[in-house]
Amino acid sequence: MEREVKTYVLKRPTEEAGPRKLSIDYAAALNPQQLAAVTAGDGPSLVIAGAGSGKTRTLVYRVAYLIDSGVDPSNILLLTFTRKSSQEMLERAGDLIGVSSRRVCGGTFHSVANMLLRRHGRSIGIEPGFTILDRGDAEDLIALMRSQLGLNEKDKRFPRKGTIMEMISKSENTLRSLDEIILEEFSHFSDHSEDLGRLHKAYQTAKRQKQLLDYDDLLVMLRQLLLLDETARANISRQYRYILVDEYQDTNRLQAEVIRQLATTYQNVMVVGDDSQSIYAFRGATFKNIMEFPLLFPGTTVYKLEENYRSTQPILNLANCIIEEAAEKYTKRLFTRKIDGPLPSLVEAAGENAQSRFIGQKILELREEGVPLSEVAVLFRSSFHSFDLEIELSRKGLPFIKRGGVKFIETAHVKDLLAHVRVVSNPLDTVSWHRVLLLVEGVGPKKAQDLLAAIVKADRPYDVLRGVSGRSGPGLKNLANTLESLAGSDDRQPEHQVSHIYEYYLPILKDQYDDYPKRTRDLDHLHTIAEGYQGIDEFLADLALEPPDGSTVNVEAGERDDERMVLSTIHSAKGLEWQCVFVIWVVDGRFPSAYSFLTEDELEEERRLFYVAVTRAKRHLFLTYPINVYDKTSGMLLSKPSRFLDHVSSNLLDTLALVEEGGRDGWGMIPDPYY
């Protein structure tokens, strides 16, 4: 029997009206070079963003463009070197495209690694509740392991904990063995290689047993997760379809490898940076990452941003001339629509004090011309270069702030207080326990270790402290009561915990430090930071991952003033700008440093550092140097301007020779009081 066959018509899909209508006129908002990068298609992209060329603007509009084009914001990953950078970029993107930008995953390499490890880390033995050790805590753990292995007594010349930490950190961030690092950069400790290897293993074991990760571990373990767990790698790389990386020239080998693994599914990775501003080799960053990116990601499209929005053309002409001599680079030439402006000046001074006096005098003249102090900066290769200048500025009553010094989170008193908070949060944190115990009167390193051994075995650790008699008994009992009251409290708000511990810690602070009034202001600042958090774990993680910079201890000079000039190392000035910039000690042997003469790579980094210094200036630029100065360290007579100026045409610089009032023009006639 035949069945009746009915037909069902399949309709053809309706032709789309056309491409998705964009909500922003990108061509009107961006210059042609920026527009090309912002609207780039799929695949790997390298954006070479010259100094002051609108790098941040380009990244912001790229985020907006992707969302505007229909990309789910949760599929976008923005990696930066500071949390502030990512937050500001996403806020600006939100102003352009709306609140959907809040769903973009943005943060530092380490904060993103922290998040991913807490979600996926179990497959490689990392529990979600792990504790992050900051640099100081990591060093303390190394010291503890060193003591337990008996390496302190073995040889007094054994490297200090900070040096050991530096070795380990450089090994991990450069993907080289510890032995290789010791041989190449710490050869004077090569006799200790075997013991350092033992110590490294003990340190790693201690961390794993206590679920502790140091700062470097976050990326090390993320790389391990991505390499060993194919399912996790596939899920993560599918999640982040578009990856944007800021300041790529500052990445190390480990970070570059993490990026490569994160991009395995789609290869839609756009990195933005400037090879000419790669200046952090001492931190493990490598210039090679940005130069080799097209090799790491075949099919890379290179975009160049060359229009500068910061400086006048005379300053850019000098900067272009300096970087032209670089041995390896992406060729670019910065230009601006700000054609007019004074020529940069090269200033010869008889000695260091004459250099300082000139700067002080010139700043006062500029103030009369309407340049505020806040728009003036003095930059230098090394921190000690500014010591004489600091004295001179103080004499003239010119207030300044010096960038560099001990960071807020690294100060001993802040670390002391936070150690108590960490013990309450994670009773297995032996590093924090050790620091807390040593603050108690009558407790030395040996007693602290004995107490630690008993605490980790005890069901009720606070009872261990209460059971101690003798000189340390009252202090340990007080500590136990303080910690137990917080551990047993339902109140987990950081501000209350910090406040409670502060009351306990204040007598200790007064006993340990003569300048405790200044230090109490730091602790007040810590309390203010804590007020912005609801959970203690988030508070502690953020302090470890993105610590605040400022400290009131030994940072400021002169009276507080709303208007202060800046003294800064060039490394600390990167990314900043001022109307007027002085670069001091531009003398061969100081800048570039005599130490850089040994290898071509080091000398090239010094050239890039000089380029960064020059490009901080918007309108006024002064390069100053004392002549005929004997450098005790190198044994050299420093008598000529920096070699980086050798190829600079005379029409790009005004040359000024300082003379003493009264017409005496002989440099040697007025003795420099500092020589």
Side-chain angles (χ1 to χ4, degrees):
M1 177 179 169
E2 287 190 17
R3 298 180 185 272
E4 182 184 357
V5 179
K6 300 178 181 179
T7 59
Y8 184 90
V9 178
L10 292 174
K11 296 179 180 179
R12 292 182 179 178
T14 305
E15 295 290 330
E16 293 193 9
R20 182 185 176 102
K21 185 175 175 66
L22 300 176
S23 63
I24 299 169
D25 187 349
Y26 294 91
L30 304 165
N31 69 41
Q33 293 176 322
Q34 293 170 336
L35 181 65
V38 164
T39 58
D42 285 358
S45 302
L46 170 61
V47 181
I48 300 298
S53 63
K55 164 182 70 68
T56 301
R57 183 178 182 85
T58 302
L59 275 170
V60 167
Y61 272 85
R62 175 64 174 173
V63 171
Y65 177 79
L66 290 173
I67 297 171
D68 211 5
S69 302
V71 176
D72 188 325
S74 66
N75 294 146
I76 302 171
L77 173 63
L78 173 63
L79 291 171
T80 62
F81 277 87
T82 67
R83 175 164 296 177
K84 183 181 177 183
S85 294
S86 64
Q87 288 175 338
E88 288 181 350
M89 287 185 202
L90 295 181
E91 284 172 6
R92 288 173 59 180
D95 292 339
L96 294 173
I97 205 70
V99 296
S100 60
S101 65
R102 295 175 185 173
R103 291 168 50 218
V104 172
C105 180
T108 65
F109 283 88
H110 295 87
S111 66
V112 169
N114 173 53
M115 177 264 294
L116 292 175
L117 287 173
R118 293 189 192 276
R119 288 181 184 175
H120 305 280
R122 275 203 170 105
S123 66
I124 56 170
I126 296 174
E127 295 297 320
F130 65 81
T131 294
I132 302 169
L133 298 174
D134 66 16
R135 179 64 176 246
D137 291 332
E139 290 179 6
D140 288 346
L141 182 57
I142 284 174
L144 192 61
M145 294 298 102
R146 183 179 62 188
S147 179
Q148 290 181 1
L149 292 172
L151 297 175
N152 283 340
E153 296 82 15
K154 186 174 180 180
D155 191 335
K156 290 183 179 180
R157 292 174 296 175
F158 198 77
R160 298 175 182 272
K161 61 183 182 180
T163 305
I164 298 168
M165 188 72 243
E166 187 181 349
M167 294 174 182
I168 294 172
S169 181
K170 186 152 283 190
S171 167
E172 291 175 337
N173 284 295
T174 59
L175 301 181
R176 294 186 291 163
S177 71
L178 184 61
D179 283 344
E180 189 179 348
I181 296 295
I182 295 169
L183 186 63
E184 291 184 8
E185 301 187 34
F186 301 89
S187 58
H188 50 297
F189 292 124
S190 56
D191 291 345
H192 299 291
S193 290
E194 186 176 338
D195 285 337
L196 286 167
R198 286 172 54 217
L199 177 56
H200 185 205
K201 287 178 182 176
Y203 172 62
Q204 301 288 50
T205 301
K207 286 188 295 180
R208 300 297 169 263
Q209 287 176 344
K210 305 298 182 186
Q211 286 293 305
L212 304 172
L213 270 67
D214 64 29
Y215 198 63
D216 296 321
D217 283 334
L218 292 168
L219 290 183
V220 170
M221 301 312 292
L222 177 58
R223 174 177 180 259
Q224 188 172 323
L225 173 70
L226 295 170
L227 287 172
L228 299 182
D229 188 339
E230 292 184 11
T231 302
R233 182 178 70 243
N235 289 337
I236 294 168
S237 65
R238 279 198 296 267
Q239 171 68 42
Y240 301 118
R241 184 168 182 173
Y242 292 90
I243 300 171
L244 307 175
V245 186
D246 190 23
E247 303 286 9
Y248 189 72
Q249 79 282 343
D250 295 336
T251 55
N252 56 43
R253 288 296 194 194
L254 176 58
Q255 289 163 330
E257 177 62 16
V258 166
I259 293 166
R260 191 173 72 86
Q261 294 297 329
L262 288 172
T264 50
T265 300
Y266 296 108
Q267 303 284 298
N268 292 329
V269 56
M270 174 179 282
V271 301
V272 182
D274 185 4
D275 55 296
S276 301
Q277 298 186 68
S278 179
I279 59 173
Y280 293 119
F282 67 96
R283 293 182 186 169
T286 173
F287 173 71
K288 298 296 183 184
N289 276 354
I290 195 166
M291 301 307 298
E292 296 173 358
F293 183 84
L295 298 175
L296 194 64
F297 289 92
T300 291
T301 304
V302 179
Y303 302 90
K304 295 180 182 178
L305 309 184
E306 296 173 297
E307 183 172 356
N308 179 283
Y309 294 91
R310 175 186 299 153
S311 308
T312 60
Q313 195 60 53
I315 291 172
L316 296 182
N317 290 340
L318 175 62
N320 288 331
C321 186
I322 290 166
I323 209 64
E324 272 176 5
E325 298 298 316
E328 191 177 3
K329 60 185 179 296
Y330 288 100
T331 301
K332 60 182 178 296
R333 190 160 188 86
L334 298 181
F335 67 93
T336 183
R337 299 176 194 184
K338 302 175 185 176
I339 303 300
D340 298 325
L343 284 178
S345 296
L346 178 63
V347 183
E348 300 176 346
E352 182 175 19
N353 189 245
Q355 175 182 248
S356 300
R357 286 158 54 208
F358 162 75
I359 292 169
Q361 183 174 312
K362 194 67 186 178
I363 290 170
L364 291 173
E365 291 174 5
L366 288 166
R367 286 186 81 181
E368 291 296 317
E369 295 172 14
V371 179
L373 272 185
S374 58
E375 280 290 336
V376 177
V378 181
L379 307 182
F380 31 84
R381 172 64 183 84
S382 301
S383 186
F384 72 90
H385 289 174
S386 71
F387 290 167
D388 181 77
L389 176 62
E390 292 169 40
I391 297 168
E392 184 63 30
L393 294 176
S394 297
R395 286 194 189 117
K396 283 186 163 57
L398 291 169
F400 63 88
I401 183 168
K402 187 173 181 180
R403 304 294 187 194
V406 181
K407 288 186 176 180
F408 172 85
I409 201 69
E410 295 170 350
T411 55
H413 49 295
V414 173
K415 288 179 66 66
D416 287 347
L417 195 147
L418 286 176
H420 293 79
V421 181
R422 290 194 176 102
V423 164
V424 175
S425 179
N426 179 9
L428 293 176
D429 186 347
T430 52
V431 177
S432 294
W433 264 117
H434 193 255
R435 188 179 192 99
V436 165
L437 291 169
L438 287 175
L439 291 171
V440 178
E441 186 179 0
V443 177
K446 177 65 168 62
K447 191 160 191 173
Q449 284 194 42
D450 292 342
L451 286 169
L452 265 177
I455 287 169
V456 296
K457 294 176 184 175
D459 294 329
R460 296 176 60 84
Y462 304 114
D463 287 349
V464 173
L465 302 182
R466 292 192 186 94
V468 178
S469 57
R471 188 160 68 95
S472 61
L476 289 171
K477 184 178 180 181
N478 191 15
L479 172 63
N481 293 339
T482 301
L483 297 179
E484 190 171 43
S485 67
L486 288 173
S489 172
D490 293 329
D491 188 353
R492 297 280 291 169
Q493 287 194 313
E495 65 175 294
H496 295 150
Q497 296 214 10
V498 169
S499 180
H500 195 73
I501 291 169
Y502 175 79
E503 291 177 11
Y504 161 80
Y505 177 66
L506 186 57
I508 299 173
L509 180 75
K510 291 181 177 180
D511 184 61
Q512 296 242 347
Y513 305 105
D514 291 335
D515 61 346
Y516 71 86
K518 288 183 178 179
R519 296 176 186 264
T520 57
R521 293 201 291 272
D522 278 349
L523 299 182
D524 290 339
H525 183 47
L526 181 67
H527 185 269
T528 302
I529 294 170
E531 288 175 347
Y533 291 84
Q534 293 299 311
I536 199 70
D537 292 335
E538 183 189 3
F539 170 66
L540 292 172
D542 276 6
L543 284 177
L545 291 168
E546 192 66 18
D549 287 333
S551 173
T552 58
V553 180
N554 297 326
V555 172
E556 297 172 45
E559 297 296 316
R560 276 201 64 90
D561 196 308
D562 291 333
E563 190 191 336
R564 292 176 292 169
M565 60 181 293
V566 171
L567 309 187
S568 175
T569 62
I570 300 165
H571 287 100
S572 297
K574 186 173 170 290
L576 303 176
E577 59 184 40
W578 296 269
Q579 280 194 46
C580 177
V581 170
F582 297 85
V583 186
I584 63 173
W585 280 104
V586 184
V587 62
D588 218 45
R590 289 283 177 91
F591 200 179
S593 163
Y595 298 109
S596 69
F597 297 169
L598 300 174
T599 71
E600 191 62 33
D601 285 350
E602 290 181 30
L603 195 57
E604 285 296 290
E605 175 140 328
E606 292 281 301
R607 180 186 301 278
R608 296 192 295 270
L609 190 64
F610 193 48
Y611 173 85
V612 168
V614 167
T615 53
R616 298 311 93 197
K618 293 193 280 189
R619 183 169 179 82
H620 302 280
L621 175 63
F622 299 92
L623 311 177
T624 72
Y625 73 102
I627 59 174
N628 298 322
V629 176
Y630 180 72
D631 184 79
K632 298 182 181 67
T633 305
S634 66
M636 299 169 61
L637 183 66
L638 312 178
S639 59
K640 66 181 284 290
S642 171
R643 64 187 64 195
F644 300 142
L645 298 173
D646 287 350
H647 297 87
V648 174
S649 170
S650 59
N651 64 350
L652 298 182
L653 278 171
D654 274 337
T655 302
L656 303 180
L658 304 182
V659 297
E660 296 289 340
E661 192 172 24
R664 293 172 292 180
D665 57 3
W667 285 107
M669 293 179 66
I670 306 297
D672 193 312
Y674 291 88
Y675 289 92

